[in-house]
Amino acid sequence: MGTVRDKTAIVGIGATEFSQNCGRSELRMALEAILDAVEDAGLKVEDIDGMINYTLDTADQIEIVRSLGIPNLSFFSKVPYGGGASCGTIAHAVAAVESGMANYVVCVRSIRDASGPVTYGDFEPTRVSGDTYMGMYHPYGLLTPVSWVAMFAQRYKHEYGIKDGDLGWISLVNRENANRNPKAIFHNRTLSMEEYMNSPINVEPLRRHDCCLSTDGAVAIIVTSAERAKHLKQRPAYISGVIQGMSTNGEVMTSYAREDITVLHETEAYGKKLFEMADMTPKDIDVAQFYDAFSPLVPMQLEALGFVGKGEGVPYCEGGTRIRLDGELPINTSGGLMSEGYLHGMNLISEGVRQIRGTSTSQVKDAEISLVTGGLGVPSSGLILKRR
Amino acid sequence: MVKHEEKVMTPRPMMNQDTVEYWEKLQETKQLHLQRCQHCKTYSHPPRPTCYKCRSFDMEWVPSSGKGVIHSYVVYHRSVHPGFKTPYEVILVELEEGVRLVSNMVDCEPDEVYIGMPVEVVVDQAFEDVAMPRFKRQNI
Ligand SMILES: [Zn+2]
């Protein structure tokens, strides 16, 4: 371990607007985001020789390559398991760059989760579940991601005596950050604790405001070697650590067979390796972008990654003081998936990079180390970025 | 919000070669069976080809006591499927054998469900050819 530490960097970030109805195809948005990232990095399209996206992407790599006239790709892969893929795309990019299989790798995710035919938050009744485990849960009405996470959350609340409203601080702090970010979908919509408490229960124990926001948009990120990064347009965000994690006895979002279902096992597993790789501890992190598809996942990640002890995640977030911009661990400074937009985690990486560059709309003063996490309750991934 | 429609069927259990016996045993015997390793006696659920503890392929089907407690649960208030009438609960039962089953209650309202509630299995002939394990309060 430690061999890839700071040897690669993120040099370009690009995106479309984030909206609830983009009015164009996922392929088109992927192209726009990639061109934006290429421009941001000061590269030419012809420089791109590696590409990674999610297995869930409909914008096929072969179509992207054709549409942009990219001459050759010497490395391409796709990462599975939904939002768990986010930092995993960067892990694949680093592997490609460090091994010499590609020089400039673009990671991209394009999603029409708001205006597509079926959003991730809903269930198509005519759909036949292709997954065996889900096929065992769907007949009982356990149909959507919010319910899969709510099952963990209910047990977590029970074990640690968490009361209604205690999770609201995560939603509120996210929203405050989004209110400073003109690109956030909820830029113009404030959120008070009263509104949070009055928002409808979606799947008990989670309210509407405990959930992320179906979004249309695309994000692209370019990775290259630290050496090449020095000669490009932007201040490089050096990759101190990046890793994927898959733990035993798991399922995709319904790992209920494990003895303790209040622990995010994948996150715990990759977190140890990630910090070791970066030669850091949670104390070194200046700002964190936690995958926040649902609010309970934030305190659970704080615990799984060792920021706090078991059961201490919710008290840590209470009142929002510690996790706000001026707190000891500012989180989700762009508004996160709950308030900026659900770009399946890729927008969290862009924000991690902006913090390193010093260009966030909620800039953490002197931020040098930035943590980003991937989707939870699935095979996941994590990333530590550094300024130097 | 999706409206409830009496005529809309709820999803059928999906099976494959590794799990089909679980459903067949239930339909044939009207008793819940669980998969157990013949060597180290570890129970597995959902079913799979091997024992994840000792990696043996020698798995057997044994009758379950059908008794357990509710380990966790959720209550759907926002409907996403016309076959389910909200509010409804989905429970996670920890059986005496140590495995957990996702299911529903048949004899109580969603707001009566609590973690630690003792329950026992009911074999519900949900479809003509497929029975589903559901749960009722345990008489203790
Ligand atoms: Zn065994």
Side-chain angles (χ1 to χ4, degrees):
Chain A
M1 292 298 267
T3 52
V4 308
R5 187 190 309 150
D6 303 334
K7 290 183 178 167
T8 54
I10 293 177
V11 294
I13 54 175
T16 61
E17 83 288 359
F18 302 153
S19 75
Q20 307 241 259
N21 190 355
C22 66
R24 54 204 196 277
S25 70
E26 288 178 347
L27 174 61
R28 172 156 179 158
M29 287 198 295
L31 305 176
E32 290 174 10
I34 292 171
L35 288 175
D36 194 35
V38 166
E39 162 79 26
D40 178 68
L43 287 166
K44 297 193 300 292
V45 170
E46 288 75 10
D47 294 322
I48 301 293
D49 58 359
M51 187 176 294
I52 298 141
N53 62 356
Y54 291 28
T55 54
L56 295 180
D57 272 276
T58 66
D60 261 339
Q61 293 172 345
I62 195 164
E63 288 298 336
I64 293 172
V65 167
R66 168 195 270 177
S67 301
L68 293 180
I70 295 171
N72 279 302
L73 288 188
S74 48
F75 183 94
F76 39 93
S77 73
K78 286 181 163 226
V79 188
Y81 305 118
S86 60
C87 300
T89 63
I90 309 296
H92 286 217
V94 167
V97 169
E98 261 298 283
S99 64
M101 284 192 272
N103 293 331
Y104 298 97
V105 181
V106 64
C107 303
V108 62
R109 175 78 175 112
S110 182
I111 184 171
R112 268 189 83 161
D113 192 39
S115 67
V118 181
T119 74
Y120 286 119
D122 288 317
F123 185 84
E124 170 55 56
T126 58
R127 183 174 117 198
V128 177
S129 168
D131 178 281
T132 315
Y133 296 162
M134 283 298 176
M136 217 168 246
Y137 309 148
H138 286 163
Y140 297 104
L142 193 73
L143 302 167
T144 50
V146 59
S147 67
W148 306 331
V149 168
M151 193 69 90
F152 295 114
Q154 188 80 277
R155 183 74 200 185
Y156 181 83
K157 285 185 75 175
H158 171 80
E159 285 198 14
Y160 298 109
I162 294 156
K163 288 182 287 300
D164 198 14
D166 288 354
L167 294 169
W169 294 108
I170 295 129
S171 310
L172 262 60
V173 169
N174 271 336
R175 190 60 63 87
E176 288 169 18
N177 290 332
N179 294 154
R180 285 186 290 264
N181 173 10
K183 290 184 174 150
I185 292 189
F186 281 160
H187 171 61
N188 288 317
R189 277 172 61 180
T190 55
L191 179 66
S192 66
M193 187 52 96
E194 199 187 349
E195 285 168 287
Y196 171 85
M197 290 300 283
N198 288 334
S199 77
I201 301 276
N202 187 338
V203 174
E204 192 187 320
L206 301 180
R207 295 171 185 284
R208 175 186 292 166
H209 286 308
D210 289 309
C211 304
C212 63
L213 161 78
S214 287
T215 302
D216 288 3
V219 172
I221 290 163
I222 298 173
V223 175
T224 191
S225 67
E227 192 47 46
R228 288 186 205 96
K230 281 186 211 158
H231 311 291
L232 295 174
K233 212 160 103 185
Q234 305 290 350
R235 178 200 282 267
Y238 292 97
I239 297 169
S240 292
V242 66
I243 196 98
Q244 293 180 280
M246 187 189 297
S247 301
T248 192
N249 216 6
E251 293 172 16
V252 178
M253 297 201 74
T254 48
S255 302
Y256 305 142
R258 289 168 174 166
E259 192 176 338
D260 189 348
I261 63 166
T262 67
V263 175
L264 296 170
H265 294 263
E266 290 79 6
T267 306
E268 197 174 74
Y270 85 62
K272 285 194 186 85
K273 280 191 175 179
L274 180 67
F275 282 116
E276 196 182 306
M277 189 185 234
D279 193 25
M280 291 178 194
T281 71
K283 285 192 178 61
D284 295 309
I285 303 299
D286 296 320
V287 54
Q289 314 299 330
F290 289 119
Y291 197 98
D292 58 335
F294 303 101
S295 63
L297 296 173
V298 171
M300 289 173 83
Q301 282 178 89
L302 286 165
E303 296 170 20
L305 291 168
F307 284 92
V308 298
K310 197 74 195 70
E312 293 171 3
V314 172
Y316 186 87
C317 298
E318 197 186 334
T321 321
R322 294 186 186 87
I323 56 174
R324 282 199 176 99
L325 186 50
D326 54 359
E328 55 195 67
L329 182 68
I331 69 160
N332 300 16
T333 44
S334 65
L337 308 184
M338 294 171 74
S339 278
E340 184 188 37
Y342 178 66
L343 275 297
H344 233 169
M346 292 301 272
N347 50 325
L348 301 177
I349 302 176
S350 311
E351 176 63 8
V353 172
R354 282 191 291 267
Q355 286 290 347
I356 294 302
R357 292 181 179 177
T359 59
S360 170
T361 48
S362 292
Q363 184 61 40
V364 173
K365 205 168 163 288
D366 304 322
E368 289 185 357
I369 313 285
S370 182
L371 170 76
V372 187
T373 68
L376 287 315
V378 291
S380 189
S381 53
L383 168 69
I384 294 175
L385 298 169
K386 186 160 93 180
R387 174 193 293 191
R388 67 171 190 205
Chain B
M1 190 87 165
V2 177
K3 265 185 71 179
H4 176 62
E5 291 172 44
E6 289 292 343
K7 276 179 283 182
V8 175
M9 293 286 280
T10 54
R12 282 171 63 90
M14 160 86 187
M15 309 163 198
N16 71 9
Q17 260 188 295
D18 297 318
T19 63
V20 68
E21 276 183 88
Y22 168 78
W23 298 103
E24 283 176 356
K25 282 268 183 307
L26 190 73
Q27 173 71 2
E28 284 162 18
T29 68
K30 304 292 182 249
Q31 197 183 357
L32 178 65
H33 283 69
L34 296 172
Q35 190 192 34
R36 188 176 70 176
C37 171
Q38 288 184 22
H39 291 266
C40 75
K41 307 297 177 196
T42 300
Y43 283 88
S44 276
H45 187 79
R48 54 180 73 90
T50 56
C51 168
Y52 70 100
K53 283 267 169 70
C54 76
R55 299 176 187 98
S56 163
F57 284 88
D58 299 327
M59 305 297 282
E60 60 183 346
W61 291 93
V62 294
S64 162
S65 77
K67 291 192 163 71
V69 295
I70 291 184
H71 189 74
S72 191
Y73 69 95
V74 302
V75 182
Y76 264 79
H77 289 262
R78 178 181 173 272
S79 177
V80 295
H81 189 298
F84 295 95
K85 192 176 180 194
T86 52
Y88 67 90
E89 77 298 324
V90 184
I91 55 172
L92 180 66
V93 177
E94 182 163 302
L95 291 170
E96 286 177 342
E97 292 84 357
V99 302
R100 299 194 187 127
L101 249 59
V102 167
S103 189
N104 308 120
M105 292 299 290
V106 296
D107 67 342
C108 63
E109 295 300 315
D111 61 4
E112 294 176 293
V113 172
Y114 62 94
I115 288 176
M117 184 174 187
V119 294
E120 65 182 82
V121 79
V122 176
V123 177
D124 178 11
Q125 194 65 47
F127 303 88
E128 202 177 314
D129 53 341
V130 183
M132 283 167 58
R134 288 193 155 89
F135 287 83
K136 63 177 185 181
R137 295 166 203 259
Q138 214 182 99
N139 293 317
I140 42 170

